[in-house]
Amino acid sequence: MQKKFYVTGMTCSACQAAVERSVKKLAGVQAVNVNLLANKMTVEFDDALVDADAIVAAVEKAGYEAGEEQPAEAAGEAKAAGGELLKDEIREMRQRVFISFVFLIPLMYIAMGEMVGLPLPSWLTGLENALTYAFVQFLLTLPIVYINRKYYQNGFKTLLRGSPNMDSLIAIGSSAAVIYGIFAIFRIGYGLGHGRLDLVEQYSMDIYFETGGMILALITLGKYLEARSKGRTSEAISKLLDLAPKTAVVERNGRELEIPVEEIAVGDLVVIRPGQSIPVDGVIVEGSTAVDQAAITGESIPVEKTVGDRVISASINKTGFIKFRAEKVGDDTTLAQIIQLVEEAGSSKAPIAKLADRISGIFVPVVIAIAVVATIVWLLLGASFEFALAIGIAVLVISCPCALGLATPVAIMVGTGQGAVNGILIKSAEALEVAHGVDTVVLDKTGTITEGRPRVTDVVLTSELTEQEFLQIAASMEQASEHPLAEAVLEKASEMGIALKPNSEFTAVPGRGIETVIDGKKYRAGNLALMAESGIDTAAWQDLADRFASEAKTPLYFADTDQLLGVIAARDVVKPTSYAAVEQFKAMGIEVVMLTGDNQKTAEAIQKELQLDRVVAEVLPQDKEQEIRRLQDEGKKVAMIGDGINDAPALVRADVGIAIGAGTDIAIESADIVLIRSDLQNAAAAVQLSKATIRNIKQNLFWAFFYNTLGIPLAAGIFYPLLGWKLSPMVGAAAMSLSSVFVVTNALRLKFFQPKRTG
């Protein structure tokens, strides 16, 4: 059987791995999937061998808190609770950052002020005030340590259980600095009491409270910025839930009743008027209309529907009055299935393991062992306890995780900031890290590759009328129509400055077109079926109709009572930037695939125009998600780019989901990256930025690690017997600070990043 659990206390991929290892050890556990971002765990197990309580106990043994998710909770309440937990986490982190810096700023001023020529109060200067000088720093450090005590609780807990993580590094490094500072206070007190001013002078320079405080404050700032990017999937699901109407009108026993959507039963007759949203899936039994299905299928033009046709939940009735029989209600509707797909894809999407965490898993125990061994060896060699302790502390301070902890978040901060400057909103560090490895890009068509609305592409005259005269008649006819193709004709007339004439006796012919009277003369406009029914000969223009179809254009035929006056073709046109974007993806060796709910001919026309590697047409939302899954099963690293509600499951399932900024809120919330300017070239720029950022992170990690490893032998006193070289804790702290400065400076180079654009 399969059950879901919540897990709290995880801070990095090392925590995630520790939880998975602990649960997998249980007899009867078949599979474990831990979602770090969502703080959730899904476990498949044999309930004859193990139960939920044993699984929870295993997680708690690993040092984390867990519990079984309660399926009885209402979906809305669960989502609301999740949102509140996220807000509480961000609020708490913001408070920790604020308090940390309130105390860190005066601490740094007192500790470093005199070195850079800043004035200090007289009661903090001079050897006679050394004890006060040290103790004030200690008092300023205590609130920072207390407000960030989670690092110690988690870090030492995981360390004792044999699975150290980034918190362990932070806890050890800051503790080493604070403990040494306390030791220095005792030595200063001893020196003042015994007249040993040399000791006072030595240890008043060896106070490292500001080092411990700085580690905690900077790391907390980085974690606060990470916390703000969590929880996007839950927000997307909440918006999906809000999409469907809350009530619906049903016909029962000859009477119309307005009831909550949840009470609609299979077989109910649902009444839908123009402009209303369709609440459940069903089949039309009365009336005809045009239905906007763009949110679900991605079709840019409303679809004509009549008796016997299916309607889908969350689509919008545009023009006519219809009744339909409910066939899929509740969790069976198309919208509900999309929501389920978003949830499932989100829970199975494991976050990328941070390189720093993997290093810390090996680095921390090695450093601790070196510090302990070095201290013991020097004691055995006859060195004083003070000397041996200084050696051990120096090893820990030089190994302090400030640079290692900053290596990733600082580069991510600069990278995401530079992305925003270039119109790319990157919502999480994970997205920026994963994007560099993308080898397949999947594009939605409507609103992503194309503009998402039809525009006139061709005007063909078939009578003696001039183009100006023909467009005046066509636009005058269409001014009373609500069809998107009518809007395209009116836009064309407006661009040419054509004045419209009044019309009368306007009639919409469902599924065919329109009829109206202008200047006392009757005109009709629509598809070939309307022309045939009206006795208008269009045989001579069949080749033209075939050409338009092959070019994914929709023709509108205009005629009077006797003859065809002309044909206007409209099409959802490709954005100019789409051509350049596809070229850029191909230049990076990335395969470009298009998924669309539109018909095969339209898809093939776009493929030919843009030279796409592959297209998949006439797909439903779940088909898009399955196509992404299939590509991933082939070992591909997939980025999905879309703008509609129908793209949400695929956006979440993909390794990186990229939403067009002009798209729906749900697509934007489901995605990892949002293109603010709706320019597809920015998707290619996002991949370029990711590659530059990852390269920078690896450089940072190398130098952070290099400084530490270079200084450890020196700090351990290996060169002291032969060369007299000994690294004091102060020099160790300086080296640590230097590595931090180097890492930050290197990360700032990302500010010079400029995407490579063509066209």
Side-chain angles (χ1 to χ4, degrees):
M1 67 182 300
Q2 185 182 88
K3 280 194 176 183
K4 291 184 178 180
F5 301 81
Y6 66 83
V7 182
T8 58
M10 296 187 296
T11 58
C12 64
S13 55
C15 303
Q16 181 184 8
V19 172
E20 285 184 355
R21 280 198 305 270
S22 297
V23 176
K24 279 180 181 175
K25 288 177 184 175
L26 296 174
V29 171
Q30 294 149 358
V32 183
N33 179 25
V34 179
N35 188 321
L36 177 65
L37 292 182
N39 290 321
K40 289 184 179 179
M41 174 178 69
T42 305
V43 183
E44 287 184 25
F45 60 94
D46 184 346
D47 56 353
L49 298 173
V50 67
D51 59 13
D53 291 339
I55 292 170
V56 170
V59 176
E60 290 174 347
K61 187 179 177 183
Y64 307 90
E65 293 179 14
E68 188 178 349
E69 281 198 349
Q70 300 302 317
E73 289 181 349
E77 291 175 4
K79 299 298 176 293
E84 285 304 312
L85 283 172
L86 176 63
K87 288 177 184 175
D88 289 344
E89 181 185 355
I90 293 172
R91 196 180 301 117
E92 189 244 358
M93 292 289 281
R94 189 190 302 122
Q95 183 184 46
R96 284 169 57 190
V97 170
F98 177 75
I99 293 173
S100 296
F101 277 90
V102 162
F103 288 95
L104 179 67
I105 291 167
L107 173 62
M108 294 299 294
Y109 183 90
I110 292 170
M112 302 292 183
E114 207 169 20
M115 296 181 191
V116 294
L118 296 174
L120 284 179
S122 58
W123 53 275
L124 289 176
T125 58
L127 293 181
E128 67 277 10
N129 293 313
L131 196 60
T132 307
Y133 173 75
F135 199 70
V136 167
Q137 292 182 51
F138 174 62
L139 292 177
L140 287 170
T141 306
L142 281 180
I144 302 175
V145 171
Y146 179 76
I147 200 73
N148 294 297
R149 61 191 179 279
K150 279 189 176 179
Y151 295 127
Y152 302 100
Q153 293 167 347
N154 293 334
F156 288 124
K157 191 189 295 180
T158 53
L159 184 64
L160 291 172
R161 285 175 169 81
S163 53
N165 58 13
M166 204 64 195
D167 285 352
S168 304
L169 275 175
I170 297 163
I172 292 168
S174 59
S175 294
V178 172
I179 289 169
Y180 191 84
I182 294 169
F183 173 73
I185 287 177
F186 280 104
R187 297 302 287 161
I188 290 169
Y190 178 86
L192 288 172
H194 292 76
R196 292 281 306 276
L197 293 183
D198 58 321
L199 276 182
V200 176
E201 185 174 7
Q202 177 189 340
Y203 283 101
S204 62
M205 297 296 292
D206 284 356
I207 304 166
Y208 303 115
F209 292 121
E210 81 283 357
T211 301
M214 182 174 65
I215 293 167
L216 295 168
L218 291 178
I219 296 294
T220 301
L221 175 62
K223 287 192 175 284
Y224 165 65
L225 295 172
E226 287 179 17
R228 291 201 309 172
S229 68
K230 280 187 175 184
R232 300 294 179 183
T233 302
S234 60
E235 290 176 25
I237 294 170
S238 297
K239 292 202 174 185
L240 281 170
L241 288 167
D242 292 338
L243 188 68
K246 302 295 180 283
T247 61
V249 176
V250 298
E251 189 177 284
R252 290 176 179 171
N253 302 320
R255 294 175 55 205
E256 289 188 4
L257 303 171
E258 185 171 354
I259 63 172
V261 170
E262 294 81 11
E263 294 180 13
I264 298 176
V266 174
D268 272 343
L269 284 179
V270 184
V271 178
I272 302 292
R273 292 179 170 81
Q276 291 183 335
S277 186
I278 293 169
V280 295
D281 296 7
V283 176
I284 296 176
V285 296
E286 181 184 326
S288 60
T289 186
V291 177
D292 183 354
Q293 299 183 157
I296 303 298
T297 65
E299 292 167 284
S300 52
I301 296 173
V303 180
E304 302 290 343
K305 300 279 187 179
T306 187
V307 174
D309 290 334
R310 302 186 66 80
V311 288
I312 306 170
S313 57
S315 55
I316 299 170
N317 180 29
K318 299 291 284 184
T319 55
F321 172 89
I322 58 169
K323 289 182 187 177
F324 71 90
R325 179 171 286 105
E327 288 195 341
K328 292 182 179 179
V329 300
D331 291 339
D332 295 328
T333 65
T334 302
L335 180 63
Q337 288 171 2
I338 292 176
I339 292 169
Q340 185 181 352
L341 285 169
V342 172
E343 286 182 318
E344 287 178 357
S347 66
S348 65
K349 185 178 179 181
I352 188 170
K354 296 287 192 298
L355 200 52
D357 290 324
R358 293 204 296 271
I359 291 173
S360 70
I362 303 167
F363 188 57
V364 177
V366 169
V367 166
I368 295 168
I370 291 171
V372 172
V373 168
T375 303
I376 293 171
V377 167
W378 279 109
L379 286 172
L380 293 175
L381 290 173
S384 67
F385 176 75
E386 181 181 308
F387 181 91
L389 180 63
I391 288 287
I393 296 291
V395 170
L396 290 173
V397 170
I398 191 68
S399 310
C400 159
C402 200
L404 202 57
L406 286 172
T408 300
V410 173
I412 293 291
M413 282 169 59
V414 179
T416 51
Q418 196 61 19
V421 169
N422 287 280
I424 305 161
L425 176 62
I426 300 162
K427 294 202 227 170
S428 68
E430 286 75 24
L432 192 57
E433 286 179 292
V434 173
H436 87 284
V438 165
D439 53 26
T440 304
V441 166
V442 178
L443 305 173
D444 171 52
K445 181 185 79 71
T446 306
T448 302
I449 292 176
T450 65
E451 292 185 353
R453 60 190 180 92
R455 295 181 64 175
V456 171
T457 56
D458 301 84
V459 178
V460 180
L461 303 176
T462 61
S463 66
E464 68 282 357
L465 293 174
T466 65
E467 183 175 351
Q468 193 89 358
E469 291 169 338
F470 170 61
L471 281 171
Q472 184 179 44
I473 292 170
S476 299
M477 291 177 68
E478 296 286 7
Q479 64 184 315
S481 174
E482 297 177 354
H483 200 283
L485 292 181
E487 293 176 16
V489 174
L490 289 166
E491 186 179 340
K492 179 70 174 177
S494 176
E495 287 172 2
M496 296 181 66
I498 296 172
L500 304 185
K501 293 183 177 183
N503 64 29
S504 59
E505 300 179 31
F506 180 88
T507 305
V509 183
R512 299 287 190 270
I514 59 171
E515 294 179 349
T516 188
V517 174
I518 300 173
D519 293 336
K521 188 173 182 180
K522 189 170 184 178
Y523 295 93
R524 51 181 59 86
N527 55 24
L528 282 173
L530 180 65
M531 297 297 111
E533 288 172 5
S534 305
I536 303 298
D537 183 15
T538 58
W541 305 101
Q542 187 58 48
D543 289 345
L544 179 70
D546 293 340
R547 178 168 67 83
F548 284 154
S550 69
E551 295 172 353
K553 297 173 182 175
T554 302
L556 278 175
Y557 297 84
F558 293 83
D560 56 20
T561 52
D562 302 316
Q563 62 172 335
L564 186 68
L565 301 177
V567 183
I568 295 177
R571 176 188 164 186
D572 184 9
V573 297
V574 173
K575 295 176 186 176
T577 54
S578 296
Y579 300 94
V582 172
E583 281 182 18
Q584 288 163 28
F585 281 127
K586 289 191 170 186
M588 288 187 280
I590 296 173
E591 181 186 4
V592 185
V593 180
M594 182 177 79
L595 292 185
T596 178
D598 238 328
N599 62 67
Q600 188 67 34
K601 280 190 175 180
T602 301
E604 287 173 355
I606 299 289
Q607 180 183 19
K608 185 178 178 183
E609 190 172 344
L610 287 175
Q611 298 297 303
L612 302 174
D613 294 308
R614 193 161 60 87
V615 298
V616 183
E618 300 174 15
V619 291
L620 294 173
Q622 55 266 38
D623 298 328
K624 287 189 177 184
E625 190 267 349
Q626 286 167 7
E627 181 65 20
I628 300 293
R629 193 197 298 259
R630 189 187 65 75
L631 287 167
Q632 289 173 327
D633 289 343
E634 291 175 3
K636 302 285 181 67
K637 186 81 78 173
V638 183
M640 170 71 194
I641 307 174
D643 74 322
I645 296 161
N646 58 304
D647 300 318
L651 285 168
V652 181
R653 170 63 65 186
D655 296 283
V656 182
I658 304 176
I660 296 292
T664 64
D665 286 348
I666 289 124
I668 290 170
E669 290 296 345
S670 298
D672 303 299
I673 298 173
V674 178
L675 309 182
I676 299 169
R677 300 190 187 118
S678 297
D679 182 347
L680 200 53
Q681 284 191 96
N682 281 353
V687 177
Q688 295 167 13
L689 177 62
S690 173
K691 289 179 183 294
T693 305
I694 292 303
R695 190 163 53 247
N696 191 281
I697 288 171
K698 288 180 178 178
Q699 291 167 356
N700 286 350
L701 288 172
F702 170 77
W703 284 109
F705 190 67
F706 174 76
Y707 272 112
N708 287 336
T709 52
L710 194 65
I712 286 172
L714 191 60
I718 289 175
F719 304 107
Y720 186 75
L722 294 175
L723 304 171
W725 292 353
K726 174 179 170 291
L727 188 69
S728 74
M730 183 177 72
V731 177
M736 182 277 294
S737 299
L738 182 62
S739 67
S740 299
V741 171
F742 187 93
V743 161
V744 172
T745 306
N746 187 48
L748 288 174
R749 290 192 308 111
L750 283 170
K751 283 189 171 288
F752 300 106
F753 168 82
Q754 288 296 330
K756 297 173 185 174
R757 296 179 183 272
T758 56

